[in-house]
Amino acid sequence: MNRPRPSHGVLDPLLRLLFPALMLLLLNGCSSIGYYNQLAGGQLQLLRGRTPVAQVAADPSRDPTLRAHLLQSQQARSFASQHLHLPDNRSYRLYVDIGRPYVVWNVFATPEFSLSPQTHCFPIAGCVAYRGYYSQGAARGEAALQKQQGMDVAIGGVEAYSTLGWFDDPIISSMMQWGDERLATLIFHELAHQRFYVKDDTEFNESYATFVEQEGTRQWRTYRALPPLNNTELRQRDQFTQLVLDTRKRLEQLYALPLPAEQMRQRKVQEFERMRRDYRQLRDSQWAGSTRYDAWINAPLNNARLLPFGLYDQWVPAFAELFKQVNGDWLAFFLAVEKLGRLPADQRKAALIKLPDAFAGQPVAAPVQ
């Protein structure tokens, strides 16, 4: 099934503090010990199953397609460190076969008449808008409990994630369904998280990593003397994302009204039906009938299913402007990103809002110190 966007990255804060946090929670008598136990067990399984990519690629008993795919991934991995100045470590130079389509399943939950996610906060990593499970059954169990409490709930499978450098993250078999270039972009994205990460600011972190992914991919194609990407798929993705964001905005306005619950419920359903109608019109009038998002839009819709949209793209134009300011110098760019990341949250957001317009028509600035 075509998904609105390949899932990745968002689980990393949990695993970044996995082992120290687990000990802290045990000492504090936390009631969620079972949840942390499954996180620790799932991560340990990945660590134990890792094999160097070079060893897998040299093994004639392995599937030839897998071997070729892994060898291609290592060219992108070397490019990431040598040309994009991303961390040079063992991450994505290892491989693990997990025997399932997703490495984790994330459970998102919101109140029935709110788009504010149920957050889960952790020492060091901060708060995230989901809980991750290595077992699909456990994720479904958590979702059922949330539904019993009247919450809107969604489960999303995740093919890959980063531990932000705490461990040497492997290429996972769940990533092998992607083509060579999509795997390369994932490596660029996740290594960007390893290079820099801001606690409690998902939009900043994901937009920054998405810019590194996009610009890194452009340079990777140029390095291999390939033509620019066909932007049709990206344009459709952006249009679909905007469609969802427009629906979210209308729902937020709806939920702010002092309406009786039943009337609110009816109007909520109407908004989701409007989104489906708008999607079909967009698909048929501009996409030549492409059905890549049909399965998603025709599945049951609720607040929780809308949560992931916008997290990956909101500040990409700001980071693109920042990259332009420093003449495309990756080291200067990362210094500038770190400077932004050290600002208080409100100042950081204000700076990002101003960035795309602040330097329009002006000479390129010197690197930010």
Side-chain angles (χ1 to χ4, degrees), residues 79-132:
F79 180 87
S81 295
Q82 295 170 8
H83 296 269
L84 308 182
H85 297 280
L86 293 169
D88 189 4
N89 52 33
R90 295 181 73 216
S91 288
Y92 309 108
R93 292 187 169 113
L94 304 165
Y95 174 75
V96 60
D97 189 338
I98 59 174
R100 59 183 187 269
Y102 300 111
V103 60
V104 293
W105 288 263
N106 285 344
V107 179
F108 298 88
T110 72
E112 183 181 9
F113 302 130
S114 173
L115 285 162
S116 298
Q118 183 181 73
T119 57
H120 306 274
C121 299
F122 306 87
I124 304 173
C127 301
V128 293
Y130 56 84
R131 295 189 90 177

Side-chain angles (χ1 to χ4, degrees), residues 108-119 128-130 150-154 203 241-257 264 267-268 271-272 275 296 301-311:
F108 298 88
T110 72
E112 183 181 9
F113 302 130
S114 173
L115 285 162
S116 298
Q118 183 181 73
T119 57
V128 293
Y130 56 84
M151 304 290 280
D152 277 14
V153 182
E203 290 85 355
T241 298
Q242 189 59 53
L243 179 73
V244 176
L245 294 179
D246 289 344
T247 302
R248 276 176 39 173
K249 184 176 181 179
R250 291 195 301 269
L251 284 170
E252 287 171 347
Q253 293 171 347
L254 171 62
Y255 296 151
L257 299 177
M264 185 79 77
R267 291 189 57 178
K268 174 182 176 182
E271 286 297 343
F272 282 122
M275 182 169 71
W296 191 93
L301 294 172
N302 61 30
N303 297 330
R305 293 199 69 206
L306 308 186
L307 288 179
F309 287 86
L311 292 178

Side-chain angles (χ1 to χ4, degrees), residues 339-360:
K339 182 177 179 180
L340 279 173
R342 287 193 295 268
L343 294 173
D346 56 344
Q347 294 181 31
R348 180 165 61 245
K349 183 175 181 179
L352 288 167
I353 290 172
K354 294 176 182 177
L355 252 174
D357 299 321
F359 299 93

Side-chain angles (χ1 to χ4, degrees), residues 57-310:
D59 185 349
S61 67
R62 295 277 194 162
D63 177 67
T65 302
L66 171 66
R67 294 166 63 193
H69 201 13
L70 288 174
L71 283 174
Q72 180 68 25
S73 76
Q74 296 311 281
Q75 296 181 36
R77 178 65 185 85
S78 297
F79 180 87
S81 295
Q82 295 170 8
H83 296 269
L84 308 182
H85 297 280
L86 293 169
D88 189 4
N89 52 33
R90 295 181 73 216
S91 288
Y92 309 108
R93 292 187 169 113
L94 304 165
Y95 174 75
V96 60
D97 189 338
I98 59 174
R100 59 183 187 269
Y102 300 111
V103 60
V104 293
W105 288 263
N106 285 344
V107 179
F108 298 88
T110 72
E112 183 181 9
F113 302 130
S114 173
L115 285 162
S116 298
Q118 183 181 73
T119 57
H120 306 274
C121 299
F122 306 87
I124 304 173
C127 301
V128 293
Y130 56 84
R131 295 189 90 177
Y133 293 85
Y134 283 89
S135 162
Q136 186 178 24
R140 287 174 172 171
E142 171 66 16
L145 290 174
Q146 295 291 342
K147 288 179 182 177
Q148 288 178 3
Q149 298 175 26
M151 304 290 280
D152 277 14
V153 182
I155 300 176
V158 178
E159 293 98 342
Y161 62 80
S162 167
T163 61
L164 302 181
W166 275 74
F167 306 106
D168 295 322
D169 296 316
I171 295 173
I172 307 171
S173 57
S174 53
M175 300 156 63
M176 289 296 101
Q177 61 184 305
W178 302 339
D180 287 334
E181 187 157 292
R182 180 66 195 110
L183 181 55
T185 65
L186 181 280
I187 290 172
F188 301 156
H189 186 106
E190 300 303 345
L191 288 175
H193 282 312
Q194 287 192 16
R195 172 108 197 190
F196 189 66
Y197 179 84
V198 177
K199 178 181 176 181
D200 287 339
D201 197 336
T202 300
E203 290 85 355
F204 180 92
N205 293 324
E206 294 301 342
S207 296
Y208 146 69
T210 295
F211 170 76
V212 174
E213 165 193 327
Q214 293 176 356
E215 178 60 23
T217 300
R218 188 192 67 77
Q219 294 188 17
W220 174 229
R221 290 185 67 86
T222 300
Y223 179 78
R224 293 178 295 154
L226 295 177
L229 280 171
N230 184 330
N231 288 325
T232 299
E233 183 174 328
L234 293 177
R235 177 176 57 83
Q236 291 178 0
R237 187 202 71 192
D238 291 344
Q239 288 178 324
F240 184 80
T241 298
Q242 189 59 53
L243 179 73
V244 176
L245 294 179
D246 289 344
T247 302
R248 276 176 39 173
K249 184 176 181 179
R250 291 195 301 269
L251 284 170
E252 287 171 347
Q253 293 171 347
L254 171 62
Y255 296 151
L257 299 177
L259 298 177
E262 188 55 38
Q263 185 178 353
M264 185 79 77
R265 200 167 286 124
Q266 291 174 358
R267 291 189 57 178
K268 174 182 176 182
V269 170
Q270 291 170 2
E271 286 297 343
F272 282 122
E273 285 305 313
R274 175 179 173 178
M275 182 169 71
R276 287 192 174 102
R277 289 195 304 271
D278 291 347
Y279 166 75
R280 288 191 289 268
Q281 181 178 4
L282 176 65
R283 177 197 64 191
D284 297 340
S285 64
Q286 299 188 38
W287 296 0
S290 171
T291 60
R292 60 191 303 236
Y293 296 128
D294 278 20
W296 191 93
I297 201 76
N298 291 324
L301 294 172
N302 61 30
N303 297 330
R305 293 199 69 206
L306 308 186
L307 288 179
F309 287 86

